[in-house]
């Protein structure tokens, strides 16, 4: 079903990092994808609003009053993360 659509996409991957974005971290499709990624040995970075639902996940929190603010903060934080990664390569 829809709750496993992202997890199915990860079935063949056994190295790398899964990056997820969620304002709630409560969607079953996100949590199942995280669990599948960890099962496969992938690292997981989760941009969230402050809710941590899984262990062994690197969370980047944007604590804001509205979902729109969380989404805008995620975009800014993603740009910062990409700049840091590119500076190291």
């Amino acid at each position: 079903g829809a709750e496993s659509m992202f997890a199915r996409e990860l079935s063949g991957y056994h190295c790398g990092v899964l990056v997820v974005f969620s304002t709630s971290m409560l969607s079953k499709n996100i949590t199942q994808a995280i669990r599948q990624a960890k099962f496969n040995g992938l690292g997981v970075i989760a941009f969230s609003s402050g809710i941590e639902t899984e262990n062994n996940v690197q969370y980047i929190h944007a604590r804001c009053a509205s979902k729109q603010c969380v989404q805008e903060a995620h975009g800014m934080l993603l740009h910062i993360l990409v700049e840091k990664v590119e500076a190291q390569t």
Side-chain angles (χ1 to χ4, degrees), residues 5 7 9 16-17 20 33 35 54-55 63 69-70 78:
M5 63 188 221
E9 292 290 326
V17 177
V20 298
R35 290 177 187 154
E54 299 292 323
N55 295 324
R63 291 185 173 97
C69 177
V70 171
L78 177 62

Side-chain angles (χ1 to χ4, degrees), residues 3 6 22-33 53:
E3 59 270 351
F6 296 132
S22 177
T23 56
S24 70
M25 293 303 297
L26 301 176
S27 299
K28 289 183 181 180
N29 57 0
I30 296 292
T31 56
Q32 285 191 12
T53 59

Side-chain angles (χ1 to χ4, degrees), residues 10-57:
L10 296 169
S11 63
Y13 292 91
H14 298 286
C15 65
V17 177
L18 171 68
V19 179
V20 298
F21 295 85
S22 177
T23 56
S24 70
M25 293 303 297
L26 301 176
S27 299
K28 289 183 181 180
N29 57 0
I30 296 292
T31 56
Q32 285 191 12
I34 290 171
R35 290 177 187 154
Q36 182 67 49
K38 292 189 318 182
F39 179 80
N40 289 6
L42 278 68
V44 180
I45 299 173
F47 288 81
S48 82
S49 61
I51 299 170
E52 297 185 8
T53 59
E54 299 292 323
N55 295 324
N56 300 319
V57 172

